[in-house]
Amino acid sequence: MKMSRVQRLLINRTSNRKKYELVVRMLDLTGAGELGRALEIGCGAGFVAAGLNDRYGTSVVGVDIDPEQIKIARERQGEREGLRFLEADAANLPFKDEEFDLVISQMVLHHIPDWQGTLAELARVLKLGCLYIFDDAVYTDITHKYLRPLLKGHSFYSEESVAAVLRDRGLHMVHQEEQWGTMKFLVRHCIMIFRKE
């Protein structure tokens, strides 16, 4: 789903340092080794992709379905050796099987109608033994029941349903935590790390 002009302004106004720092913390937590190639789904303005390229020397591809976001990422981050930005549908990725050592999706899956297909694609392009970092909003049953009409275009899933889809594709959860606390009865910020085995 492409963002509205207002959403784009909010998302692109900062460097998203917290999103980048969360990925670094998750990599440190899991003791991730050398990262040859990484894929960021819903890369937006490319802050996380560029940060990983700078810090680890990792070859990173950032994809987003919104051509305007890809244009912004290229303008702000540049395309250099080991850093590319492509317009692509996360549910139909233009990559070979087991091409990436790390896959990241941050605050994007709930915007994708075919979230199950997207998870299947992420699992497909991830190498055996490597990590997928899920960082997203998970709506509660109350939100699903009473507020769904107000959240048009948002996907509704539970941590269990995400884990089940990935488990069917050979990924197993190695870490889980929550970040937000104020509106937990409506939406939770869930972080899960999966390893493909």
Side-chain angles (χ1 to χ4, degrees):
M1 179 177 98
K2 295 179 185 173
M3 291 189 293
S4 70
R5 186 175 169 200
V6 172
Q7 287 173 314
R8 197 177 288 122
L9 285 170
L10 290 171
I11 295 296
N12 294 336
R13 69 183 165 84
T14 66
S15 68
N16 281 329
R17 185 110 190 121
K18 287 186 179 184
K19 288 173 73 174
Y20 166 72
E21 289 170 353
L22 185 140
V23 171
V24 170
R25 186 170 65 81
M26 292 300 107
L27 292 174
D28 288 346
L29 181 86
T30 58
E34 196 172 307
L35 301 172
R37 285 195 82 198
L39 173 65
E40 182 186 12
I41 301 298
C43 66
F47 301 115
V48 173
L52 291 174
N53 177 255
D54 291 340
R55 181 178 181 120
Y56 299 103
T58 302
S59 175
V60 185
V61 179
V63 299
D64 204 298
I65 198 167
D66 188 339
E68 185 64 26
Q69 286 297 93
I70 294 300
K71 180 181 173 193
I72 291 167
R74 288 175 178 160
E75 287 171 356
R76 291 195 184 175
Q77 311 306 328
E79 286 198 281
R80 55 188 182 259
E81 186 175 341
L83 182 64
R84 285 189 312 145
F85 298 103
L86 302 173
E87 182 184 344
D89 181 353
N92 188 21
L93 293 168
F95 305 113
K96 298 175 187 172
D97 293 356
E98 299 189 8
E99 196 168 327
F100 295 95
D101 302 288
L102 173 67
V103 177
I104 304 162
S105 66
Q106 291 185 284
M107 294 302 168
V108 68
L109 195 67
H110 68 275
H111 290 293
I112 301 174
D114 185 11
W115 64 271
Q116 297 101 327
T118 297
L119 290 175
E121 274 293 273
L122 301 183
R124 180 185 68 79
V125 301
L126 185 64
K127 290 180 184 176
L128 284 172
C130 294
L131 300 175
Y132 164 50
I133 298 175
F134 169 97
D135 170 16
D136 219 312
V138 177
Y139 297 112
T140 65
D141 291 340
I142 293 169
T143 304
H144 185 267
K145 185 174 182 179
Y146 297 108
L147 299 178
R148 189 172 189 157
L150 299 175
L151 297 168
K152 293 187 188 303
H154 284 234
S155 290
F156 291 82
Y157 44 75
S158 65
E159 295 99 317
E160 294 81 12
S161 59
V162 167
V165 169
L166 292 171
R167 191 170 42 251
D168 289 346
R169 283 153 184 84
L171 279 76
H172 299 278
M173 190 186 313
V174 294
H175 178 75
Q176 180 178 11
E177 64 183 67
E178 287 187 14
Q179 292 276 315
W180 298 335
T182 55
M183 300 286 280
K184 285 175 103 170
F185 67 99
L186 295 176
V187 63
R188 292 187 313 280
H189 179 181
C190 183
I191 299 151
M192 296 184 282
I193 304 175
F194 297 87
R195 189 180 304 279
K196 187 172 183 180
E197 297 172 352

